[in-house]
Amino acid sequence: MAALALILAMGAPAMSATAAPSPGDGSGQRTAAEGELIGKPVILTGEDVDKKAQRPRSAWRAAPAPKAKKASLSPEQAMKEALAEARKVGAKSYLDTSKVPLATGGRASAQAAGLGLPPTNLGDEPPAQDTNQCLDRAGASSAEGETLNRWLWCRKMRVGVQYFKIIDGKPEYQGTNSVAYHAVAVGNGQQRVLRTYLQAQYDSVEYDDWSLWDRYFTAPDLKMFILSDCAESYEYCFGTGSGIEHTFDEWDYHREWLHWDIYSEEEASTSTDKVLFHHWHFRFGGSGGGYVGPDATTADRAFRCDSAGYFSQFGVDYPKACVNYEVIPHLQYDISDTRVTSVARHIRVAQDTPEKTYPIELEPKHIPGKYSGSRDDQGLHRVADGSPSAQANEAMKDAACNRKPPYEDWRGLPPYDTATQDCDEYPFQSTEEGAGSFTWDFSVRAVPNGENRSAGGLLRWYYFSDRILYGTDAFWVEVRD
């Protein structure tokens, strides 16, 4: 008998028009004409993806067939889509500044490297500590997976194939083969490449609903292959490596991590910093025992690559990189962190009660950048030191701090002890939304100069650790108690 089988993981809501037909979809004549056996790709998400358990057919979701390669999205559209996805699932990449050790002068100390520098020399297995932390989160079992930070994404999933015989022109269900996987995607801090990993979970293969004979003599010998690839056309990005194929019986005992690389074509970009936005997915196919058929893919996940040459730390340059992009970048300051207490309090007042801040304005003040988990809030955008925006911010901040026009007399900050205090501004001088902005308002306050330097050092570390590009990335600031 001829046959058709598809495999899918990490799901999509529905099959495309070219995917194998499923029972009751009105395609019975087309199915019967193509063969006497068909397979329907399915995916399972939830807390029990790793567990052996009999599941009803209704627990599975259908999978799409591969789509044609597409052009790369514009930065504006790519950012809009990726950040909307991040908002939907609550994926956030953040730096808890209270955990970052500082050296004299407020800069991050060498011990900060222990928090995790950008991955560079990736091996045959993903970084163990971050991978385990990611997989332990509830979001790892969701349809979208879990974004631990911009450098690492993970997901638990179970993929399967539901097999049917065509009897009198109608599909009759035979059984389901499935296997549990752990998937990881890791960015690179020195190359335009994303490495994807996949590990079949030991003793996780299930053969549900088969007859006793087929359960032991047919289902285990059916095969599945897998690899990862870029969704955009080859002029923008491409995957390396070939598909790995095993029978389901072999997948049950395959413990090694598999990995593939997806490269971004720098020369295809005309944007500043050679920025390109891409999407990647796993591609699967089934065969064996007479079953052959087209492939299926996982849902696309977004990543961004750049060639920004202004990132370095501890004497090491990070001139190119790829990062996971379906995430809300945000920075945390804690009021309980005595190194930055006054600065954190200043930011909270500026965000929550701007009318109580200096400089005094005659109209209601609107100060952006507060993290609430919503994409509707105005974020902040980094600018280069010494840029026109940074210079304008500094000039307006100094005017407000020193009661100079247009903030002379009562409108500006009252006099303070310049020997022990600095004039702190929010939004930061290093952002487009700073004091020089014609759109947004700002706040200044006198704070201990040591705390101001510490807060500045933590901000610089955040820019580095989350790879915040000039003008491209929006980020938000959260103040905790």
Side-chain angles (χ1 to χ4, degrees), residues 298-317:
T298 70
D300 288 345
R301 300 265 68 90
F303 68 105
R304 185 205 71 199
C305 298
D306 69 80
S307 298
Y310 42 85
F311 289 91
S312 64
Q313 199 64 247
F314 308 129
V316 178
D317 293 332

Side-chain angles (χ1 to χ4, degrees), residues 281-420:
H281 52 238
F282 287 110
R283 182 158 58 90
F284 297 82
S287 64
Y291 286 88
V292 296
D295 305 345
T297 70
T298 70
D300 288 345
R301 300 265 68 90
F303 68 105
R304 185 205 71 199
C305 298
D306 69 80
S307 298
Y310 42 85
F311 289 91
S312 64
Q313 199 64 247
F314 308 129
V316 178
D317 293 332
Y318 298 84
K320 303 179 182 183
C322 288
V323 296
N324 295 293
Y325 207 70
E326 292 172 331
V327 64
I328 301 175
H330 85 285
L331 166 68
Q332 286 182 346
Y333 286 112
D334 287 356
I335 291 176
S336 59
D337 183 357
T338 57
R339 302 173 302 173
V340 296
T341 296
S342 297
V343 174
R345 284 175 174 162
H346 175 209
I347 295 173
R348 173 171 285 180
V349 171
Q351 291 178 341
D352 294 346
T353 54
E355 68 278 4
K356 296 181 179 180
T357 65
Y358 289 99
I360 297 173
E361 300 287 359
L362 301 180
E363 300 291 336
K365 295 176 74 171
H366 301 281
I367 298 178
K370 180 178 179 178
Y371 175 78
S372 68
S374 171
R375 298 300 317 178
D376 296 331
D377 297 330
Q378 172 66 28
L380 306 180
H381 297 80
R382 184 186 180 191
V383 299
D385 294 341
S387 66
S389 293
Q391 292 178 13
N393 291 342
E394 183 177 19
M396 292 302 290
K397 183 263 292 186
D398 288 345
C401 292
N402 299 311
R403 292 195 164 185
K404 295 181 178 180
Y407 300 112
E408 61 269 34
D409 301 328
W410 55 273
R411 292 187 65 195
L413 185 69
Y416 58 94
D417 181 5
T418 58
T420 60

Side-chain angles (χ1 to χ4, degrees), residues 125-166:
E125 298 184 0
Q129 182 175 348
D130 286 349
T131 296
N132 291 336
Q133 182 181 350
C134 186
L135 290 170
D136 284 342
R137 294 187 176 187
S141 297
S142 69
E144 296 80 12
E146 176 76 14
T147 303
L148 179 68
N149 51 50
R150 279 190 152 183
W151 300 105
L152 191 140
W153 166 95
C154 71
R155 186 183 173 198
K156 296 178 180 180
M157 58 187 180
R158 176 171 285 275
V159 301
V161 184
Q162 292 180 346
Y163 295 97
F164 300 83
K165 284 185 179 180
I166 302 301

Side-chain angles (χ1 to χ4, degrees), residues 199-221:
Q199 183 187 51
Q201 296 306 287
Y202 177 72
D203 195 29
S204 69
V205 169
E206 295 182 8
Y207 309 104
D208 294 339
D209 304 325
W210 290 96
S211 68
L212 184 61
W213 174 270
D214 287 336
R215 162 65 180 81
Y216 290 100
F217 296 101
T218 300
D221 292 330

